[in-house]
Amino acid sequence: RGWGAWTRRTRPKREQRAMERDPCPHRILDDLGGAFAMGAIGGTVWHSVAGARNSPSGERLAGSLYAVRARAPVLGGNFAVWGGLFSTFDCALVAMRGKEDPWNAIVSGAATGYVLAARGGWRAASRSAAVGGVLLAMIEGLNHFLLRLAPQAPPPSMPPPQAPAAAYAPPAGALGVAARQQLVNEPVLSGATADASDVLMQDKWK
């Protein structure tokens, strides 16, 4: 129940995070390159310091460069293998299950650890799989915790209702108002009075 509620609460954020990633065939190559770059940069920093410390005085720079040239690409390759296997298992699980959730990452981490340690026997492979699964579970849990702490975007607010525009009242001295008042104030002629007025007008024109 708790896991289902957690997946329902985090589904929009997970879907948004999944949409930001590359599709699965391209994701493998992207993770390969990113893991190799991460391992190479980290190996450069680590082995430059280690090579300088292990070199005699006066040859620290040369020792540092030699250690970086010899060991940094190897560490980058190890990271690339791990990232490529992880993304391959992740894409396979997405294709089989038809959805993306934290279980894909956890199972992919365990499977990657098992494959990398398979040459040492099933005991070593099982330990490596347990370490990989626990490590990915911790990463997913931390990611979920950070998503919950992140401020959510406020819902779009509707503009405040505007008051209806007041009817336009022209000034009292306007021509239209005066003419309308004149028409209103004129008395309505009865039928006999109207006939007499017509007779007077005809006599006038004669």
Side-chain angles (χ1 to χ4, degrees):
R1 180 180 177 183
W3 183 264
W6 178 80
T7 54
R8 284 193 297 272
R9 288 195 304 268
T10 58
R11 184 176 291 113
K13 294 179 180 180
R14 288 202 321 271
E15 290 177 355
Q16 182 180 3
R17 184 183 63 182
M19 290 175 62
E20 292 176 355
R21 300 184 64 184
D22 292 334
C24 254
H26 305 284
R27 186 184 303 177
I28 299 174
L29 298 177
D30 183 55
D31 288 347
L32 273 172
F36 179 82
M38 185 184 303
I41 294 174
T44 299
V45 175
W46 176 265
H47 290 293
S48 63
V49 176
R53 291 183 61 183
N54 296 330
S55 299
S57 179
E59 298 181 359
R60 297 188 185 278
L61 180 59
S64 175
L65 294 177
Y66 177 78
V68 168
R69 187 169 61 250
R71 302 301 303 171
V74 176
L75 186 59
N78 293 336
F79 271 69
V81 170
W82 199 97
L85 284 175
F86 177 82
S87 297
T88 302
F89 286 121
D90 190 17
C91 290
L93 290 173
V94 169
M96 288 188 296
R97 302 181 66 218
K99 61 180 179 180
E100 293 200 26
D101 56 7
W103 286 112
N104 290 345
I106 296 172
V107 175
S108 299
T112 302
Y114 188 92
V115 170
L116 291 178
R119 292 187 301 174
W122 68 272
R123 294 181 184 275
S126 300
R127 287 194 298 268
S128 180
V131 171
V134 171
L135 179 62
L136 266 297
M138 293 174 59
I139 293 175
E140 290 295 326
L142 179 61
N143 190 18
H144 166 63
F145 179 72
L146 293 178
L147 285 177
R148 292 190 61 181
L149 290 181
Q152 298 182 0
S157 58
M158 299 296 294
Q162 298 181 355
Y168 173 70
L175 180 60
V177 175
R180 186 166 61 252
Q181 290 178 354
Q182 183 179 0
L183 291 176
V184 172
N185 294 332
E186 286 183 353
V188 180
L189 299 178
S190 62
T193 307
D195 294 339
S197 300
D198 293 340
V199 172
L200 292 176
M201 291 295 296
Q202 291 177 2
D203 293 342
K204 180 179 179 180
W205 283 107
K206 291 178 180 180

mmCIF file of all heavy atoms in Angstrom, residues 77-118:
data_model
loop_
_atom_site.group_PDB
_atom_site.id
_atom_site.type_symbol
_atom_site.label_atom_id
_atom_site.label_comp_id
_atom_site.label_asym_id
_atom_site.label_seq_id
_atom_site.Cartn_x
_atom_site.Cartn_y
_atom_site.Cartn_z
ATOM 1 N N GLY A 77 37.094 3.533 -18.769
ATOM 2 C CA GLY A 77 36.533 2.343 -19.401
ATOM 3 C C GLY A 77 35.708 1.508 -18.445
ATOM 4 O O GLY A 77 34.654 0.966 -18.819
ATOM 5 N N ASN A 78 36.164 1.380 -17.208
ATOM 6 C CA ASN A 78 35.378 0.637 -16.216
ATOM 7 C C ASN A 78 34.022 1.303 -15.955
ATOM 8 O O ASN A 78 32.982 0.627 -15.865
ATOM 9 C CB ASN A 78 36.161 0.530 -14.905
ATOM 10 C CG ASN A 78 37.402 -0.334 -15.050
ATOM 11 O OD1 ASN A 78 37.478 -1.191 -15.935
ATOM 12 N ND2 ASN A 78 38.389 -0.114 -14.185
ATOM 13 N N PHE A 79 34.045 2.615 -15.851
ATOM 14 C CA PHE A 79 32.784 3.336 -15.671
ATOM 15 C C PHE A 79 31.885 3.160 -16.893
ATOM 16 O O PHE A 79 30.663 3.021 -16.761
ATOM 17 C CB PHE A 79 33.073 4.821 -15.437
ATOM 18 C CG PHE A 79 33.266 5.183 -14.000
ATOM 19 C CD1 PHE A 79 34.381 4.756 -13.303
ATOM 20 C CD2 PHE A 79 32.341 5.961 -13.333
ATOM 21 C CE1 PHE A 79 34.577 5.082 -11.978
ATOM 22 C CE2 PHE A 79 32.512 6.292 -12.003
ATOM 23 C CZ PHE A 79 33.633 5.854 -11.318
ATOM 24 N N ALA A 80 32.468 3.179 -18.084
ATOM 25 C CA ALA A 80 31.672 3.030 -19.296
ATOM 26 C C ALA A 80 31.020 1.653 -19.375
ATOM 27 O O ALA A 80 29.866 1.513 -19.783
ATOM 28 C CB ALA A 80 32.547 3.276 -20.528
ATOM 29 N N VAL A 81 31.749 0.619 -18.982
ATOM 30 C CA VAL A 81 31.175 -0.732 -18.981
ATOM 31 C C VAL A 81 30.012 -0.812 -18.001
ATOM 32 O O VAL A 81 28.940 -1.371 -18.309
ATOM 33 C CB VAL A 81 32.267 -1.768 -18.639
ATOM 34 C CG1 VAL A 81 31.648 -3.140 -18.395
ATOM 35 C CG2 VAL A 81 33.284 -1.841 -19.772
ATOM 36 N N TRP A 82 30.194 -0.255 -16.823
ATOM 37 C CA TRP A 82 29.120 -0.291 -15.836
ATOM 38 C C TRP A 82 27.899 0.477 -16.336
ATOM 39 O O TRP A 82 26.757 0.000 -16.247
ATOM 40 C CB TRP A 82 29.608 0.310 -14.512
ATOM 41 C CG TRP A 82 28.761 -0.073 -13.335
ATOM 42 C CD1 TRP A 82 29.010 -1.080 -12.464
ATOM 43 C CD2 TRP A 82 27.537 0.546 -12.921
ATOM 44 N NE1 TRP A 82 28.009 -1.135 -11.514
ATOM 45 C CE2 TRP A 82 27.088 -0.152 -11.777
ATOM 46 C CE3 TRP A 82 26.787 1.597 -13.404
ATOM 47 C CZ2 TRP A 82 25.917 0.178 -11.104
ATOM 48 C CZ3 TRP A 82 25.602 1.931 -12.750
ATOM 49 C CH2 TRP A 82 25.180 1.232 -11.604
ATOM 50 N N GLY A 83 28.118 1.695 -16.881
ATOM 51 C CA GLY A 83 26.998 2.487 -17.379
ATOM 52 C C GLY A 83 26.299 1.835 -18.562
ATOM 53 O O GLY A 83 25.069 1.875 -18.669
ATOM 54 N N GLY A 84 27.071 1.230 -19.467
ATOM 55 C CA GLY A 84 26.458 0.571 -20.610
ATOM 56 C C GLY A 84 25.621 -0.635 -20.207
ATOM 57 O O GLY A 84 24.504 -0.826 -20.710
ATOM 58 N N LEU A 85 26.130 -1.463 -19.285
ATOM 59 C CA LEU A 85 25.352 -2.611 -18.821
ATOM 60 C C LEU A 85 24.098 -2.170 -18.072
ATOM 61 O O LEU A 85 23.006 -2.740 -18.259
ATOM 62 C CB LEU A 85 26.216 -3.492 -17.918
ATOM 63 C CG LEU A 85 27.255 -4.377 -18.612
ATOM 64 C CD1 LEU A 85 28.106 -5.092 -17.564
ATOM 65 C CD2 LEU A 85 26.563 -5.388 -19.519
ATOM 66 N N PHE A 86 24.237 -1.164 -17.246
ATOM 67 C CA PHE A 86 23.078 -0.673 -16.493
ATOM 68 C C PHE A 86 21.992 -0.166 -17.440
ATOM 69 O O PHE A 86 20.800 -0.487 -17.282
ATOM 70 C CB PHE A 86 23.521 0.428 -15.532
ATOM 71 C CG PHE A 86 22.391 1.049 -14.776
ATOM 72 C CD1 PHE A 86 21.893 0.441 -13.634
ATOM 73 C CD2 PHE A 86 21.818 2.236 -15.205
ATOM 74 C CE1 PHE A 86 20.840 1.013 -12.936
ATOM 75 C CE2 PHE A 86 20.767 2.801 -14.512
ATOM 76 C CZ PHE A 86 20.278 2.196 -13.373
ATOM 77 N N SER A 87 22.364 0.627 -18.431
ATOM 78 C CA SER A 87 21.368 1.154 -19.364
ATOM 79 C C SER A 87 20.762 0.047 -20.223
ATOM 80 O O SER A 87 19.574 0.099 -20.568
ATOM 81 C CB SER A 87 22.008 2.213 -20.265
ATOM 82 O OG SER A 87 22.450 3.312 -19.504
ATOM 83 N N THR A 88 21.554 -0.963 -20.562
ATOM 84 C CA THR A 88 21.011 -2.082 -21.342
ATOM 85 C C THR A 88 19.954 -2.837 -20.555
ATOM 86 O O THR A 88 18.862 -3.138 -21.066
ATOM 87 C CB THR A 88 22.145 -3.021 -21.754
ATOM 88 O OG1 THR A 88 23.111 -2.290 -22.520
ATOM 89 C CG2 THR A 88 21.617 -4.171 -22.596
ATOM 90 N N PHE A 89 20.256 -3.149 -19.294
ATOM 91 C CA PHE A 89 19.259 -3.828 -18.462
ATOM 92 C C PHE A 89 18.036 -2.929 -18.217
ATOM 93 O O PHE A 89 16.894 -3.415 -18.194
ATOM 94 C CB PHE A 89 19.880 -4.240 -17.127
ATOM 95 C CG PHE A 89 20.803 -5.415 -17.220
ATOM 96 C CD1 PHE A 89 22.124 -5.317 -16.831
ATOM 97 C CD2 PHE A 89 20.342 -6.630 -17.707
ATOM 98 C CE1 PHE A 89 22.977 -6.406 -16.916
ATOM 99 C CE2 PHE A 89 21.191 -7.728 -17.794
ATOM 100 C CZ PHE A 89 22.509 -7.616 -17.407
ATOM 101 N N ASP A 90 18.282 -1.645 -18.045
ATOM 102 C CA ASP A 90 17.176 -0.720 -17.811
ATOM 103 C C ASP A 90 16.243 -0.678 -19.016
ATOM 104 O O ASP A 90 15.015 -0.736 -18.877
ATOM 105 C CB ASP A 90 17.730 0.673 -17.508
ATOM 106 C CG ASP A 90 16.657 1.625 -17.012
ATOM 107 O OD1 ASP A 90 15.582 1.144 -16.602
ATOM 108 O OD2 ASP A 90 16.886 2.848 -17.029
ATOM 109 N N CYS A 91 16.807 -0.590 -20.216
ATOM 110 C CA CYS A 91 15.978 -0.552 -21.421
ATOM 111 C C CYS A 91 15.248 -1.876 -21.636
ATOM 112 O O CYS A 91 14.109 -1.901 -22.100
ATOM 113 C CB CYS A 91 16.839 -0.218 -22.636
ATOM 114 S SG CYS A 91 17.435 1.483 -22.666
ATOM 115 N N ALA A 92 15.908 -2.986 -21.300
ATOM 116 C CA ALA A 92 15.242 -4.280 -21.428
ATOM 117 C C ALA A 92 14.040 -4.375 -20.489
ATOM 118 O O ALA A 92 12.968 -4.868 -20.870
ATOM 119 C CB ALA A 92 16.233 -5.406 -21.157
ATOM 120 N N LEU A 93 14.185 -3.894 -19.260
ATOM 121 C CA LEU A 93 13.073 -3.929 -18.315
ATOM 122 C C LEU A 93 11.954 -2.992 -18.743
ATOM 123 O O LEU A 93 10.766 -3.305 -18.570
ATOM 124 C CB LEU A 93 13.567 -3.550 -16.910
ATOM 125 C CG LEU A 93 14.461 -4.588 -16.229
ATOM 126 C CD1 LEU A 93 15.028 -4.028 -14.931
ATOM 127 C CD2 LEU A 93 13.665 -5.860 -15.946
ATOM 128 N N VAL A 94 12.311 -1.838 -19.301
ATOM 129 C CA VAL A 94 11.279 -0.916 -19.794
ATOM 130 C C VAL A 94 10.497 -1.566 -20.931
ATOM 131 O O VAL A 94 9.266 -1.450 -21.009
ATOM 132 C CB VAL A 94 11.919 0.412 -20.237
ATOM 133 C CG1 VAL A 94 10.913 1.276 -20.986
ATOM 134 C CG2 VAL A 94 12.452 1.178 -19.039
ATOM 135 N N ALA A 95 11.194 -2.263 -21.815
ATOM 136 C CA ALA A 95 10.514 -2.928 -22.927
ATOM 137 C C ALA A 95 9.633 -4.076 -22.444
ATOM 138 O O ALA A 95 8.540 -4.304 -22.985
ATOM 139 C CB ALA A 95 11.540 -3.438 -23.934
ATOM 140 N N MET A 96 10.071 -4.816 -21.437
ATOM 141 C CA MET A 96 9.284 -5.955 -20.951
ATOM 142 C C MET A 96 8.106 -5.509 -20.092
ATOM 143 O O MET A 96 6.998 -6.042 -20.221
ATOM 144 C CB MET A 96 10.185 -6.911 -20.161
ATOM 145 C CG MET A 96 11.159 -7.692 -21.019
ATOM 146 S SD MET A 96 12.046 -8.970 -20.086
ATOM 147 C CE MET A 96 12.977 -7.953 -18.933
ATOM 148 N N ARG A 97 8.313 -4.520 -19.229
ATOM 149 C CA ARG A 97 7.264 -4.109 -18.296
ATOM 150 C C ARG A 97 6.381 -3.012 -18.851
ATOM 151 O O ARG A 97 5.269 -2.813 -18.383
ATOM 152 C CB ARG A 97 7.895 -3.646 -16.979
ATOM 153 C CG ARG A 97 8.759 -4.697 -16.309
ATOM 154 C CD ARG A 97 9.324 -4.170 -15.011
ATOM 155 N NE ARG A 97 8.266 -3.949 -14.047
ATOM 156 C CZ ARG A 97 8.225 -2.924 -13.200
ATOM 157 N NH1 ARG A 97 9.199 -2.015 -13.234
ATOM 158 N NH2 ARG A 97 7.246 -2.787 -12.347
ATOM 159 N N GLY A 98 6.891 -2.257 -19.827
ATOM 160 C CA GLY A 98 6.090 -1.191 -20.420
ATOM 161 C C GLY A 98 5.943 0.037 -19.563
ATOM 162 O O GLY A 98 5.056 0.855 -19.811
ATOM 163 N N LYS A 99 6.792 0.223 -18.564
ATOM 164 C CA LYS A 99 6.731 1.421 -17.727
ATOM 165 C C LYS A 99 8.079 1.649 -17.078
ATOM 166 O O LYS A 99 8.922 0.748 -17.029
ATOM 167 C CB LYS A 99 5.649 1.287 -16.657
ATOM 168 C CG LYS A 99 5.870 0.126 -15.698
ATOM 169 C CD LYS A 99 4.752 0.057 -14.671
ATOM 170 C CE LYS A 99 4.928 -1.111 -13.718
ATOM 171 N NZ LYS A 99 3.838 -1.158 -12.716
ATOM 172 N N GLU A 100 8.258 2.873 -16.587
ATOM 173 C CA GLU A 100 9.494 3.252 -15.916
ATOM 174 C C GLU A 100 9.180 3.598 -14.468
ATOM 175 O O GLU A 100 8.354 4.470 -14.194
ATOM 176 C CB GLU A 100 10.151 4.439 -16.619
ATOM 177 C CG GLU A 100 10.654 4.116 -18.004
ATOM 178 C CD GLU A 100 11.701 5.116 -18.469
ATOM 179 O OE1 GLU A 100 12.370 5.703 -17.604
ATOM 180 O OE2 GLU A 100 11.835 5.292 -19.681
ATOM 181 N N ASP A 101 9.832 2.916 -13.562
ATOM 182 C CA ASP A 101 9.671 3.185 -12.140
ATOM 183 C C ASP A 101 10.978 2.835 -11.431
ATOM 184 O O ASP A 101 11.924 2.337 -12.055
ATOM 185 C CB ASP A 101 8.484 2.407 -11.563
ATOM 186 C CG ASP A 101 8.601 0.910 -11.808
ATOM 187 O OD1 ASP A 101 9.652 0.468 -12.292
ATOM 188 O OD2 ASP A 101 7.642 0.181 -11.496
ATOM 189 N N PRO A 102 11.099 3.104 -10.128
ATOM 190 C CA PRO A 102 12.358 2.817 -9.428
ATOM 191 C C PRO A 102 12.759 1.351 -9.440
ATOM 192 O O PRO A 102 13.946 1.036 -9.293
ATOM 193 C CB PRO A 102 12.072 3.303 -8.001
ATOM 194 C CG PRO A 102 11.022 4.346 -8.147
ATOM 195 C CD PRO A 102 10.174 3.903 -9.281
ATOM 196 N N TRP A 103 11.807 0.433 -9.613
ATOM 197 C CA TRP A 103 12.175 -0.981 -9.642
ATOM 198 C C TRP A 103 13.095 -1.301 -10.810
ATOM 199 O O TRP A 103 13.957 -2.183 -10.702
ATOM 200 C CB TRP A 103 10.925 -1.850 -9.702
ATOM 201 C CG TRP A 103 10.179 -1.931 -8.415
ATOM 202 C CD1 TRP A 103 8.943 -1.420 -8.141
ATOM 203 C CD2 TRP A 103 10.629 -2.539 -7.200
ATOM 204 N NE1 TRP A 103 8.593 -1.668 -6.842
ATOM 205 C CE2 TRP A 103 9.613 -2.359 -6.242
ATOM 206 C CE3 TRP A 103 11.789 -3.208 -6.835
ATOM 207 C CZ2 TRP A 103 9.733 -2.839 -4.944
ATOM 208 C CZ3 TRP A 103 11.908 -3.685 -5.539
ATOM 209 C CH2 TRP A 103 10.895 -3.497 -4.607
ATOM 210 N N ASN A 104 12.912 -0.619 -11.936
ATOM 211 C CA ASN A 104 13.796 -0.857 -13.082
ATOM 212 C C ASN A 104 15.245 -0.543 -12.729
ATOM 213 O O ASN A 104 16.163 -1.303 -13.055
ATOM 214 C CB ASN A 104 13.350 -0.015 -14.275
ATOM 215 C CG ASN A 104 12.039 -0.481 -14.862
ATOM 216 O OD1 ASN A 104 11.584 -1.587 -14.582
ATOM 217 N ND2 ASN A 104 11.422 0.355 -15.668
ATOM 218 N N ALA A 105 15.464 0.589 -12.083
ATOM 219 C CA ALA A 105 16.824 0.971 -11.721
ATOM 220 C C ALA A 105 17.414 0.020 -10.686
ATOM 221 O O ALA A 105 18.591 -0.354 -10.764
ATOM 222 C CB ALA A 105 16.840 2.409 -11.194
ATOM 223 N N ILE A 106 16.615 -0.402 -9.702
ATOM 224 C CA ILE A 106 17.126 -1.288 -8.656
ATOM 225 C C ILE A 106 17.509 -2.644 -9.237
ATOM 226 O O ILE A 106 18.599 -3.176 -8.973
ATOM 227 C CB ILE A 106 16.082 -1.436 -7.535
ATOM 228 C CG1 ILE A 106 15.860 -0.079 -6.850
ATOM 229 C CG2 ILE A 106 16.516 -2.475 -6.524
ATOM 230 C CD1 ILE A 106 14.722 -0.076 -5.855
ATOM 231 N N VAL A 107 16.630 -3.209 -10.053
ATOM 232 C CA VAL A 107 16.924 -4.520 -10.658
ATOM 233 C C VAL A 107 18.092 -4.409 -11.633
ATOM 234 O O VAL A 107 18.947 -5.309 -11.724
ATOM 235 C CB VAL A 107 15.666 -5.074 -11.350
ATOM 236 C CG1 VAL A 107 15.966 -6.370 -12.087
ATOM 237 C CG2 VAL A 107 14.566 -5.301 -10.321
ATOM 238 N N SER A 108 18.172 -3.298 -12.374
ATOM 239 C CA SER A 108 19.282 -3.111 -13.305
ATOM 240 C C SER A 108 20.611 -3.002 -12.568
ATOM 241 O O SER A 108 21.628 -3.546 -13.015
ATOM 242 C CB SER A 108 19.048 -1.859 -14.151
ATOM 243 O OG SER A 108 17.867 -1.979 -14.910
ATOM 244 N N GLY A 109 20.621 -2.304 -11.437
ATOM 245 C CA GLY A 109 21.849 -2.226 -10.653
ATOM 246 C C GLY A 109 22.291 -3.579 -10.124
ATOM 247 O O GLY A 109 23.481 -3.908 -10.142
ATOM 248 N N ALA A 110 21.329 -4.386 -9.654
ATOM 249 C CA ALA A 110 21.675 -5.724 -9.160
ATOM 250 C C ALA A 110 22.186 -6.617 -10.291
ATOM 251 O O ALA A 110 23.178 -7.351 -10.131
ATOM 252 C CB ALA A 110 20.449 -6.351 -8.486
ATOM 253 N N ALA A 111 21.509 -6.554 -11.454
ATOM 254 C CA ALA A 111 21.944 -7.385 -12.584
ATOM 255 C C ALA A 111 23.319 -6.960 -13.084
ATOM 256 O O ALA A 111 24.160 -7.811 -13.441
ATOM 257 C CB ALA A 111 20.919 -7.292 -13.718
ATOM 258 N N THR A 112 23.584 -5.667 -13.094
ATOM 259 C CA THR A 112 24.900 -5.188 -13.524
ATOM 260 C C THR A 112 25.994 -5.665 -12.570
ATOM 261 O O THR A 112 27.070 -6.122 -13.005
ATOM 262 C CB THR A 112 24.896 -3.653 -13.607
ATOM 263 O OG1 THR A 112 23.880 -3.233 -14.509
ATOM 264 C CG2 THR A 112 26.238 -3.131 -14.074
ATOM 265 N N GLY A 113 25.744 -5.560 -11.279
ATOM 266 C CA GLY A 113 26.729 -6.053 -10.321
ATOM 267 C C GLY A 113 26.978 -7.542 -10.454
ATOM 268 O O GLY A 113 28.121 -8.004 -10.329
ATOM 269 N N TYR A 114 25.925 -8.302 -10.728
ATOM 270 C CA TYR A 114 26.092 -9.752 -10.875
ATOM 271 C C TYR A 114 26.935 -10.084 -12.104
ATOM 272 O O TYR A 114 27.831 -10.938 -12.049
ATOM 273 C CB TYR A 114 24.724 -10.420 -10.981
ATOM 274 C CG TYR A 114 24.774 -11.934 -10.938
ATOM 275 C CD1 TYR A 114 24.653 -12.598 -9.725
ATOM 276 C CD2 TYR A 114 24.966 -12.680 -12.088
ATOM 277 C CE1 TYR A 114 24.716 -13.981 -9.669
ATOM 278 C CE2 TYR A 114 25.035 -14.067 -12.045
ATOM 279 C CZ TYR A 114 24.903 -14.700 -10.834
ATOM 280 O OH TYR A 114 24.971 -16.078 -10.778
ATOM 281 N N VAL A 115 26.662 -9.418 -13.214
ATOM 282 C CA VAL A 115 27.395 -9.716 -14.453
ATOM 283 C C VAL A 115 28.863 -9.331 -14.321
ATOM 284 O O VAL A 115 29.764 -10.067 -14.764
ATOM 285 C CB VAL A 115 26.730 -8.991 -15.642
ATOM 286 C CG1 VAL A 115 27.604 -9.087 -16.893
ATOM 287 C CG2 VAL A 115 25.362 -9.591 -15.919
ATOM 288 N N LEU A 116 29.155 -8.208 -13.706
ATOM 289 C CA LEU A 116 30.538 -7.757 -13.596
ATOM 290 C C LEU A 116 31.373 -8.659 -12.685
ATOM 291 O O LEU A 116 32.596 -8.747 -12.871
ATOM 292 C CB LEU A 116 30.579 -6.312 -13.082
ATOM 293 C CG LEU A 116 30.058 -5.243 -14.050
ATOM 294 C CD1 LEU A 116 30.110 -3.867 -13.400
ATOM 295 C CD2 LEU A 116 30.868 -5.244 -15.342
ATOM 296 N N ALA A 117 30.723 -9.294 -11.720
ATOM 297 C CA ALA A 117 31.459 -10.170 -10.795
ATOM 298 C C ALA A 117 31.225 -11.647 -11.093
ATOM 299 O O ALA A 117 31.538 -12.496 -10.244
ATOM 300 C CB ALA A 117 31.053 -9.858 -9.361
ATOM 301 N N ALA A 118 30.695 -11.971 -12.265
ATOM 302 C CA ALA A 118 30.365 -13.365 -12.575
ATOM 303 C C ALA A 118 31.611 -14.245 -12.661
ATOM 304 O O ALA A 118 31.541 -15.456 -12.393
ATOM 305 C CB ALA A 118 29.571 -13.434 -13.878
#
